[in-house]
Amino acid sequence: MKTYAIRGTRTKLTGHYRQDGTRITFCNKPVGIPNGDFLGLTGWKMCTRCVKAEQRDRAHAEQVAAQFAEPMPQPIVIIPCGAAKLDHAAPAAELYTGSYHRACRRAADTLTANGGTILILSALHGLVPLDRILAPYDMRMGAAGSVTPDLLRKQARELGVDRATNVTIIAGLSYTAPALAVWPHAATPLAGLPGMGHHLRALAAIAAAEQAPAAETGPDLYAPRGSRNLTTGHLLDDATGRAHCGAELAGPNGAAVLTCAACRHAVEAEAAVEPMAPADREAAEVEAMFAAQLVTEAEATVGTWRGEWIGQAAADGALFTLTPDREQGALFA
């Protein structure tokens, strides 16, 4: 394994391991030049912290790889009910007619196109399979009489999905919160999006599989450490070795269908404030100096406000001289 010196240090005889995808060593110091050529020289040694940390990281990576090598569990997708409904009893898959619910349903259909289960989170009935017959009702999540997290946990056990590891919750905050009480590790692709318009655009993108993995022009997506939920991929921050949202990463996630919203927003924010390159900054400074020079020269030109009016002010300090008007009488006497 390649070893490196610490940047800025005089001695190059201590070998350090670099964390994959970063410029940071396993002992959390900045990476310098490769120093493997010094191996065998008198005084050569390996950083103990780097060796131990690399061994732990490799063991965990092998464990995660073994988990990922197992058959991928079928996804469980939770979507919300809706206020708009048919005026008669119908299967849950048909009962809700609102545009937001239908958008969530289309996204869920995409995520389960190769198998999986869609459950509707009803404010009155809790977790409902698509084929369950329901009569129209009027209940909002969080209102008196609506379902509780304890009831949802019980229903999840009865449905055999309480221990599911591949769960995605496609819903607003009022429905996502109680569902997370059942599956705290679940992916929440709409989390952090500010309003209905952003939700609908994200749902349309999921439904159209625009966020599908293996997009050759898109960035690599990574799996979070300690989770087997591969639905959401995270973006690597090369400076820290973590995801842009702060999560620890285990390795590439080729099964991701969604991109972590927090990672995406962080990357967009960094791009928006990205400093100018030195050459661009120098060109901008030269352009500003040239513009200032043009203004100065223009102000000094005869015929301008500064050159004509102030430049020809009377010696006594008066800005201009008034000629008395005979009709104004004593005003100028």
Side-chain angles (χ1 to χ4, degrees):
M1 186 172 180
K2 201 170 185 178
T3 62
Y4 298 82
I6 297 300
R7 188 183 358 164
T9 59
R10 291 184 178 181
T11 178
K12 310 298 181 185
L13 295 180
T14 300
H16 298 263
Y17 291 139
R18 180 175 64 87
Q19 299 183 42
D20 290 340
T22 76
R23 299 293 300 171
I24 304 295
T25 66
F26 276 95
C27 61
N28 293 318
K29 295 180 180 179
V31 170
I33 63 171
N35 64 353
D37 293 339
F38 297 104
L39 179 64
L41 294 181
T42 302
W44 171 264
K45 62 180 179 179
M46 284 296 303
C47 170
T48 303
R49 290 179 59 192
C50 282
V51 171
K52 291 181 178 179
E54 189 277 334
Q55 290 174 346
R56 289 194 301 268
D57 189 80
R58 179 160 19 106
H60 180 79
E62 292 173 353
Q63 180 183 1
V64 172
Q67 292 177 346
F68 289 173
E70 298 175 3
M72 180 64 185
Q74 291 294 316
I76 306 295
V77 183
I78 310 299
I79 63 175
C81 62
K85 305 176 184 69
L86 298 175
D87 59 1
H88 56 83
E94 304 171 9
L95 179 67
Y96 306 98
T97 60
S99 58
Y100 186 81
H101 171 83
R102 303 309 299 178
C104 291
R105 174 63 190 280
R106 287 190 291 271
D109 286 341
T110 296
L111 296 180
T112 57
N114 296 321
T117 301
I118 299 174
L119 294 173
I120 296 176
L121 178 48
S122 164
L124 179 63
H125 301 287
L127 298 173
V128 178
L130 296 181
D131 57 357
R132 180 177 171 184
I133 304 297
L134 297 178
Y137 61 90
D138 184 14
M139 177 64 68
R140 295 180 64 85
M141 187 65 75
S146 62
V147 294
T148 64
D150 287 340
L151 176 60
L152 295 180
R153 294 189 191 96
K154 178 182 177 182
Q155 291 178 330
R157 287 194 297 270
E158 294 172 348
L159 292 169
V161 296
D162 57 313
R163 297 183 180 275
T165 58
N166 187 8
V167 181
T168 302
I169 304 169
I170 304 179
L173 180 59
S174 61
Y175 284 80
T176 298
L180 283 174
V182 183
W183 301 282
H185 58 278
T188 54
L190 302 184
L193 298 182
M196 181 67 73
H198 290 81
H199 279 219
L200 293 175
R201 284 193 291 272
L203 291 169
I206 297 171
E210 292 178 4
Q211 297 185 13
E216 295 182 359
T217 58
D220 292 334
L221 297 178
Y222 291 78
R225 176 169 291 179
S227 173
R228 295 185 61 194
N229 184 357
L230 305 183
T231 302
T232 299
H234 295 259
L235 299 172
L236 172 66
D237 184 351
D238 289 334
T240 65
R242 291 172 172 261
H244 281 275
C245 67
E248 293 189 29
L249 300 177
N253 181 2
V257 177
L258 311 172
T259 301
C260 170
C263 284
R264 189 171 62 251
H265 292 328
V267 171
E268 292 172 352
E270 290 177 4
V273 297
E274 183 178 359
M276 288 190 295
D280 294 336
R281 182 167 55 252
E282 182 179 354
E285 292 173 354
V286 171
E287 184 177 353
M289 293 176 60
F290 180 67
Q293 182 180 356
L294 291 179
V295 171
T296 301
E297 292 175 354
E299 289 178 342
T301 302
V302 175
T304 64
W305 177 81
R306 185 181 296 275
E308 187 71 21
W309 186 9
I310 295 179
Q312 296 184 7
D316 60 2
L319 291 178
F320 49 82
T321 303
L322 292 175
T323 302
D325 192 320
R326 185 174 305 173
E327 295 182 357
Q328 291 176 328
L331 180 61
F332 293 96

